Amino acid sequence: QVPLVESGGGSVQTGGSLRLSCAASQEPSSTAYMAWFRQAPGKEREGVAAIFGSGSRANYADSVKGRFTISLDKVKKTLTLQMNSLKPEDTSFYYCAAQLGPPAAWSYLPPLRRLEYDTWGQGTQVTVSS
């Protein structure tokens, strides 16, 4: 069973909205944290938004604060990223990630560093046209 499966990517015009979903095969509360990352061609994979497995606290990259919202549905075992006011620079391949093992260290906010996550989905493309 695939641990993480993303859906919801697509194409939208500047200012539009998209909602990404990530279906998890196990209880999100059993993870340390879950997150959304993105990677554009020729660029490093960057953390966009993260949330503790308990759903207690979220963290956002400065570039998406106020526009993106991460949420966790424990019953449906689904991680969601609501993306509003999309910009062309949001165009990227988006990945769902989870830390199934114990966290490397305590942190007040869920991390946005790639190395903090040990499980990844296959990704979904988001394209924003001007």
Side-chain angles (χ1 to χ4, degrees), residues 52 56-58 105-110:
F52 282 124
S56 61
R57 203 171 289 135
W106 181 90
S107 58
Y108 178 75
L109 291 173

Side-chain angles (χ1 to χ4, degrees), residues 23-115:
S25 62
Q26 65 183 73
E27 297 291 335
S29 57
S30 69
T31 69
Y33 22 74
M34 298 185 72
W36 288 96
F37 284 73
R38 65 187 182 188
Q39 186 168 18
K43 294 188 176 182
E44 294 289 322
R45 190 170 298 188
E46 62 172 347
V48 174
I51 190 168
F52 282 124
S54 63
S56 61
R57 203 171 289 135
N59 189 18
Y60 296 90
D62 289 343
S63 58
V64 306
K65 280 181 182 176
R67 301 188 298 123
F68 291 11
T69 302
I70 189 171
S71 60
L72 195 56
D73 187 326
K74 299 177 186 178
V75 174
K76 296 181 179 179
K77 296 190 290 185
T78 300
L79 179 72
T80 299
L81 184 68
Q82 178 65 43
M83 305 184 294
N84 298 327
S85 302
L86 283 162
K87 306 174 180 180
E89 51 263 44
D90 295 318
T91 295
S92 195
F93 211 71
Y94 284 71
Y95 296 89
C96 175
Q99 175 61 19
L100 301 185
W106 181 90
S107 58
Y108 178 75
L109 291 173
L112 295 173
R113 296 180 296 275
R114 180 179 181 175
L115 294 179

